[in-house]
Amino acid sequence: MMNYSKSKVAGLSLYVLFLLVPIYWLLNMSFKHKGEVLSGLTLWPSNFTFDNYITIFTDPSWYMGYVNSLIYVALNMAITLTVALPAAYAFSRYKFVGDKHLFFWLLTNRMAPPAVFLLPFFQLYSSVGLFDTHLAVALSHCLFSVPLAVWILEGFMSGVPREIDETAFIDGYSFQRFFIRIFLPMIRSGIGVTAFFSFLFSWVELLLARTLTATEAKPIASVMTRTISAEGIDWGLLAAAGVLTILPGLLVIWLVRNHVAKGFALGRV
Amino acid sequence: MSKVENNKAWWLVLPVFLLVAFSAIIPLMTVVNYSVQDIFDADHAVFVGVEWYREVLLNERLQESLLRQFIFSFTVLAIEIPLGIAVALMMPTKGTMASVSLIVVAIPLLIPGNVVGTIWKIFGRADVGLLGWGLNQLGIDYNYAANPLDAWVTVVIMDVWHWTPLVALLCYSGLRAIPDAFYQAAAIDRASKWAVFRYIQLPRLKSVLVIGTLLRFMDSFMIYSEPFVLTGGGPGNSTTFLSQTLTNMAIGQFDVGPAAAFSLIYFLVVLLVSWLFFTTISEMDKDK
């Protein structure tokens, strides 16, 4: 067994400090008045204020940014899991014509820089009337979330013995019933981790989200540029908006915390 | 566990295939199409062959940007991989502290790129930021907006801050998958800490490290929003990476042909490096 030594605690604390100080600074900034931000450096807001947050929560053009982002992220997670689960099952259980090529081809899409697809996506989604909808962003994010999801899920599914499938079929389960009632609960951790990654990469992706939307489905990232005006940047408001983008992520990582540790036991490679 | 041969499995893969075909093949074909034509308007286009490719490959600004991109990607990999392993080794294995440290370490991953840029933009400013103010108090003339070296260092530190947690989390779960019996055997043999790491932990981390390195390479090669928000690519062009160069070209100047040719070269470079890395690792496996 590994024993937990003092030097490890010290090292980890140092790293955590490095992670948290910039975030603390953002938090600190978000509770300051406009004047205080510019008048000098203070480690703690001298006039504690919620004004910046109130501005965001009362102005629809602000809070709709968050709503829009959350809608396309949720859509993306739903689409990704729906298509990736059966596909991952097929890859983990069956040999079929072109399976290896297909698997590799899927992964190459994960390598495509979003900037490459910027212009064609814009034209494609405009031509099918999806421009400026949540669906367009969700679909475009599938480009990198689906390959990764198939990859992760395939690893998890390969860890489940085949005998379970066979026993269920002998017992007279139909494929759908077996898949939903027996198989999915067995790979809960895998689904949790996959959902986490879909959320992660869709929530932090901005280039496509910003290009494929104009007004209706505008993500929070585009809204945040409003804080830059002729008089300079409203640091307090910008910081408050930044703090709020961290919260959904915190919620998600809290939900999957128990799955993450065992979760990355990815099968292939 | 042998797999059953069954071509009906294609039905299960079909939705993924159609979805990815819609969102990857069609756009990619469009890019290929643009890259060989000079387009004046919807009805007038001339086939120009490889001319755009030649123009792009000879363009000095793009060459500089490509070089900068490689230096950046290898720098962050060289820092993030060892640091990530170290952090994973230091993280507690049991109890509440394990969950807490897991969540804390994961926080930077869940922050959108532009907010990461914003955080460091604020943090690094000499007038309102702790880092910038602190360094200047120490007598270091630090200004990421004016000095190319400072801008570089800030962008690298920002990426390390943002993405080391991914490597750490991957390694952490890799370490958890090592059975206790391995450590007990090592303890009986009186193996040193270094020996435990070198001969037990590191080999077991290989698969997660391959994934981590690949993901980090691909993503650092596509970096866009963080430096865009922090420095806007400046001062000068010192922190303009490939994605930004491409975006400027496609959206800013609307040079569709060269932008498309550039896109394909960009994509191929990522594929090639990933493939080289992957084959090298597989070859090393065979030698054992």
Side-chain angles (χ1 to χ4, degrees):
Chain A
M1 282 305 300
M2 277 191 287
N3 56 336
Y4 202 60
S5 62
K6 273 183 184 164
S7 60
K8 276 185 181 174
V9 179
L12 191 66
S13 311
L14 212 65
Y15 180 70
V16 167
L17 202 68
F18 167 64
L19 287 189
L20 292 185
V21 168
I23 296 180
Y24 166 72
W25 200 249
L26 189 77
L27 206 59
N28 174 20
M29 194 69 81
S30 73
F31 289 114
K32 287 179 180 177
H33 280 292
K34 221 174 184 172
E36 191 186 343
V37 171
L38 294 175
S39 62
L41 202 87
T42 43
L43 290 176
W44 185 252
S46 54
N47 283 313
F48 206 80
T49 172
F50 282 104
D51 278 359
N52 296 319
Y53 289 95
I54 291 168
T55 310
I56 291 173
F57 279 117
T58 50
D59 182 351
S61 64
W62 263 108
Y63 65 72
M64 280 315 285
Y66 291 97
V67 175
N68 288 334
S69 289
L70 286 173
I71 290 176
Y72 71 68
V73 169
L75 260 177
N76 171 264
M77 274 163 78
I79 299 173
T80 303
L81 282 174
T82 316
V83 300
L85 279 168
Y89 182 79
F91 282 120
S92 79
R93 289 296 191 258
Y94 301 115
K95 256 190 238 165
F96 49 94
V97 177
D99 53 352
K100 292 210 177 78
H101 300 283
L102 189 65
F103 197 79
F104 185 75
W105 171 70
L106 276 178
L107 285 183
T108 61
N109 288 301
R110 180 62 184 71
M111 303 171 193
V116 168
F117 287 99
L118 214 55
L119 198 63
F121 268 173
F122 178 75
Q123 292 176 329
L124 178 67
Y125 289 112
S126 302
S127 69
V128 294
L130 282 175
F131 178 72
D132 201 18
T133 60
H134 303 104
L135 189 61
V137 183
L139 280 177
S140 71
H141 283 177
C142 283
L143 183 67
F144 42 85
S145 65
V146 167
L148 196 67
V150 172
W151 194 12
I152 297 174
L153 286 171
E154 197 266 352
F156 274 96
M157 290 181 178
S158 298
V160 178
R162 283 197 64 84
E163 286 71 27
I164 291 177
D165 307 28
E166 281 154 13
T167 316
F169 293 139
I170 292 169
D171 286 352
Y173 275 86
S174 68
F175 178 74
Q176 283 88 344
R177 225 166 95 81
F178 154 74
F179 197 71
I180 295 166
R181 301 287 290 279
I182 299 179
F183 197 68
L184 292 189
M186 292 188 71
I187 51 158
R188 271 200 312 273
S189 303
I191 297 176
V193 173
T194 313
F196 169 72
F197 270 109
S198 311
F199 175 90
L200 170 71
F201 286 110
S202 183
W203 181 252
V204 302
E205 204 285 333
L206 305 165
L207 194 52
L208 290 173
R210 201 154 53 188
T211 316
L212 294 177
T213 56
T215 49
E216 289 299 308
K218 205 174 181 185
I220 181 61
S222 315
V223 181
M224 281 176 73
T225 52
R226 293 199 332 170
T227 51
I228 304 163
S229 64
E231 314 121 61
I233 302 172
D234 188 342
W235 295 107
L237 195 58
L238 186 65
V243 170
L244 290 175
T245 61
I246 304 177
L247 298 182
L250 274 182
L251 187 71
V252 171
I253 184 81
W254 175 255
L255 291 175
V256 300
R257 69 190 183 284
N258 292 325
H259 300 302
V260 170
K262 41 182 166 167
F264 298 96
L266 312 175
R268 287 195 190 216
V269 179
Chain B
M1 188 169 59
S2 64
K3 293 181 188 174
V4 186
E5 181 122 18
N6 184 350
N7 280 324
K8 278 186 191 150
W10 257 101
W11 289 108
L12 297 171
V13 189
L14 200 63
V16 164
F17 182 75
L18 291 178
L19 181 69
V20 180
F22 177 72
S23 58
I25 296 183
I26 299 177
L28 204 59
M29 286 304 115
T30 322
V31 177
V32 172
N33 195 15
Y34 284 150
S35 72
V36 292
Q37 294 188 62
D38 195 351
I39 296 167
F40 301 104
D41 58 50
D43 300 318
H44 298 89
V46 182
F47 181 79
V48 293
V50 295
E51 189 173 322
W52 296 137
Y53 290 91
R54 191 180 304 141
E55 189 183 311
V56 165
L57 284 173
L58 293 176
N59 187 327
E60 261 176 42
R61 229 185 54 216
L62 295 184
Q63 290 169 355
E64 280 167 16
S65 168
L66 185 68
L67 182 68
R68 212 176 284 135
Q69 184 70 65
F70 268 112
I71 297 174
F72 174 75
S73 285
F74 286 115
T75 313
V76 296
L77 274 178
I79 302 174
E80 285 171 15
I81 301 293
L83 185 61
I85 297 175
V87 170
L89 287 172
M90 290 187 295
M91 278 163 74
T93 51
K94 288 196 188 70
T96 337
M97 279 316 286
S99 303
V100 172
S101 62
L102 210 59
I103 293 172
V104 170
V105 168
I107 290 175
L109 290 177
L110 296 151
I111 305 176
N114 71 322
V115 179
V116 172
T118 308
I119 290 175
W120 284 87
K121 193 177 170 130
I122 295 176
F123 195 53
R125 296 240 330 181
D127 52 350
V128 296
L130 190 61
L131 177 72
W133 178 83
L135 285 176
N136 280 304
Q137 288 296 308
L138 291 173
I140 302 163
D141 183 24
Y142 168 86
N143 184 350
Y144 66 78
N147 185 338
L149 182 68
D150 293 349
W152 252 90
V153 172
T154 316
V155 172
V156 169
I157 292 179
M158 178 169 70
D159 199 76
V160 168
W161 182 84
H162 193 183
W163 288 111
T164 305
L166 182 73
V167 184
L169 284 185
L170 284 169
C171 291
Y172 180 76
S173 60
L175 287 173
R176 288 296 77 74
I178 302 175
D180 278 351
F182 281 61
Y183 294 116
Q184 285 154 7
I188 292 168
D189 288 347
R190 300 186 180 223
S192 67
K193 271 186 182 170
W194 168 251
V196 170
F197 173 70
R198 175 67 188 80
Y199 296 106
I200 297 179
Q201 291 171 326
L202 198 59
R204 281 290 183 132
L205 284 182
K206 214 187 92 183
S207 69
V208 284
L209 280 178
V210 170
I211 297 166
T213 311
L214 269 178
L215 279 179
R216 277 316 299 136
F217 170 74
M218 296 176 208
D219 289 345
S220 67
F221 220 78
M222 303 171 195
I223 190 168
Y224 175 77
S225 4
E226 293 93 332
F228 181 73
V229 171
L230 184 75
T231 61
N237 277 329
S238 58
T239 53
T240 308
F241 297 111
L242 279 179
S243 275
Q244 203 190 328
T245 315
L246 178 57
T247 316
N248 289 346
M249 207 166 166
I251 306 281
Q253 305 156 5
F254 222 75
D255 281 339
V256 181
F262 179 34
S263 295
L264 289 176
I265 296 170
Y266 187 0
F267 191 11
L268 286 179
V269 169
V270 182
L271 271 179
L272 188 71
V273 177
S274 305
W275 180 80
L276 276 178
F277 175 75
F278 204 81
T279 345
T280 320
I281 296 282
S282 318
E283 285 296 313
M284 277 161 59
D285 266 358
K286 274 183 205 151
D287 290 347
K288 271 179 198 164

